[in-house]
Amino acid sequence: MNELTSSTIIESNGGRRRFMATAGVFSCITVFAWSKSTCANRPGLCFGTHVSNGALLRGLRACRKSKIDIDRALSPVLLKMRECFQGCTQDVFVTLIGSHRAMDNCEGLKAMFPEDKEKWSFAWHIQNACGAALDELPIDKVSWNTNLLLRFVGEKIKSMIDEELGRQKHMNFMVVALDTITGQLVTHTKYTNMESILTEAVLNRQRKAYKYPIDPKLRIASFSLGR
């Protein structure tokens, strides 16, 4: 997956894909949105993107300069997400994955919104933009999944050394993939403290599902985005 893709874009290029995936989710936030197909065993409508803190800040500065609503800070995301689910009347499941708790409240956002602490959060702006994209559509219900958002403490990245330290601790998801037929989301990480990422119920399900030996250096962290 590039910075932004969807079932609409893929079909316009002459194809359908079972999986939509991105690699190296570190300090950015990855967004997947999915709605079940009305036809059995067919890919549903799906949208995926990953957004960096820097991209958000540049968009917010442009909004302030142009005196337009901050929802437009991520206008490519808003427009393509809305285009993907245009005409959809079924439930849409949206999941946010990644970033670090140490990086969520950044100095750039504090400077822009000194009196509004809610808007100091990087994750808040991503969810707000996605919500704005779907608000005007005839969707029955939007369900949000943030179970894999801000799961890592991370490092306050001010230099390449700080970033490398976070990577050495494996505070990232190596791969995030969406099954476009079932809506299931699968992630891979080498982070060793799995109990801090997944709930006990999910860990128990994995122990039952994966009966063969698994390389301990490639831990598996999976979560269901939809049914």
Side-chain angles (χ1 to χ4, degrees), residues 10 13 15-20 43 46 178-181:
I10 293 171
N13 291 329
R16 283 178 175 265
R17 304 289 171 82
R18 174 68 186 265
F19 293 96
M20 183 180 287
C46 51
L178 171 71
D179 185 327
T180 64
I181 293 179

Side-chain angles (χ1 to χ4, degrees), residues 35 194 204:
S35 183
M194 298 300 290
N204 287 334

Side-chain angles (χ1 to χ4, degrees), residues 118-167:
E118 184 179 49
K119 294 177 183 176
W120 295 359
S121 167
F122 174 37
W124 181 89
H125 287 276
I126 305 303
Q127 184 164 349
N128 183 61
C130 293
L134 299 173
D135 277 348
E136 298 178 9
L137 300 180
I139 294 167
D140 186 38
K141 180 182 177 183
V142 177
S143 296
W144 297 90
N145 184 335
T146 58
N147 287 283
L148 295 180
L149 178 67
L150 303 175
R151 298 308 298 171
F152 303 108
V153 175
E155 301 286 339
K156 196 72 173 177
I157 299 175
K158 296 181 179 180
S159 68
M160 293 295 292
I161 295 174
D162 297 331
E163 181 175 345
E164 183 59 28
L165 183 60
R167 292 187 185 279

